[in-house]
């Protein structure tokens, strides 16, 4: 029996609303709460939430350099990697210069507008 259930993944960033807008467009999720220092994004179905918390002194990860490790990253499933990449870049993401070797080219690493790494993964 589980002790707890996942409620939210919370991401520190310098612009909570801006980053929520980015992930909302990427995932087709809706913003359900906006405060000065906190924005909540939900999928509208399962109750899954991404929350964005103001961190005025946020320094983006320098992964793969360990000086500022990524600490976490999101793996997001896509059906067409090339199409998803083009649309993701159009939203303001940047393709990371470091792309770990993937035998089947089944994922690619990007940086969100606040510099957090995330992966688009072929289903």
């Amino acid at each position: 029996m589980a002790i707890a259930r996942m409620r939210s993944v919370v991401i520190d960033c310098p612009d909570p609303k801006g980053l929520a807008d980015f992930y909302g467009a990427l995932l087709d999720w809706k913003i359900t709460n906006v405060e000065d220092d906190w924005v909540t994004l939900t999928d509208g179905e399962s109750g899954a939430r991404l929350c964005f918390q103001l961190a005025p002194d946020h320094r983006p990860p320098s992964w793969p350099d360990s000086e500022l490790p990524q600490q976490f990253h999101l793996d997001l499933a896509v059906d067409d990697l090339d199409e998803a990449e083009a649309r993701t870049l159009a939203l303001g993401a940047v393709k990371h210069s470091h792309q770990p070797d993937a035998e089947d080219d089944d994922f690619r690493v990007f940086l969100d507008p606040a510099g957090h790494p995330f992966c688009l993964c072929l289903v």
Side-chain angles (χ1 to χ4, degrees), residues 1 3 11 18 20 29-30 36 41 58 65 81 84 88 91 94 99 101 103 105 114-115 120:
M1 174 183 260
I3 295 171
I11 300 173
W29 287 16
K30 305 295 179 230
D36 290 341
L41 191 66
H58 171 72
D65 178 8
L81 202 47
T88 299
L91 290 174
V94 174
Q99 296 293 318
D101 291 332
E103 289 181 20
D105 188 33
L120 295 181

Side-chain angles (χ1 to χ4, degrees), residues 51-86:
C51 300
F52 304 90
Q53 177 173 270
L54 179 63
D57 297 327
H58 171 72
R59 292 177 30 199
S62 60
W63 178 84
D65 178 8
S66 62
E67 182 180 337
L68 290 170
Q70 66 178 331
Q71 299 176 358
F72 82 96
H73 72 271
L74 301 173
D75 283 344
L76 307 175
V78 300
D79 295 318
D80 183 316
L81 202 47
D82 293 330
E83 177 187 348
E85 177 175 329

Side-chain angles (χ1 to χ4, degrees), residues 24 40 102:
T40 302

Side-chain angles (χ1 to χ4, degrees), residues 9-29:
V9 173
V10 180
I11 300 173
D12 285 356
C13 60
D15 177 10
K17 177 69 168 62
L19 202 55
D21 287 340
F22 171 80
Y23 279 104
L26 186 66
L27 297 168
D28 194 26
W29 287 16

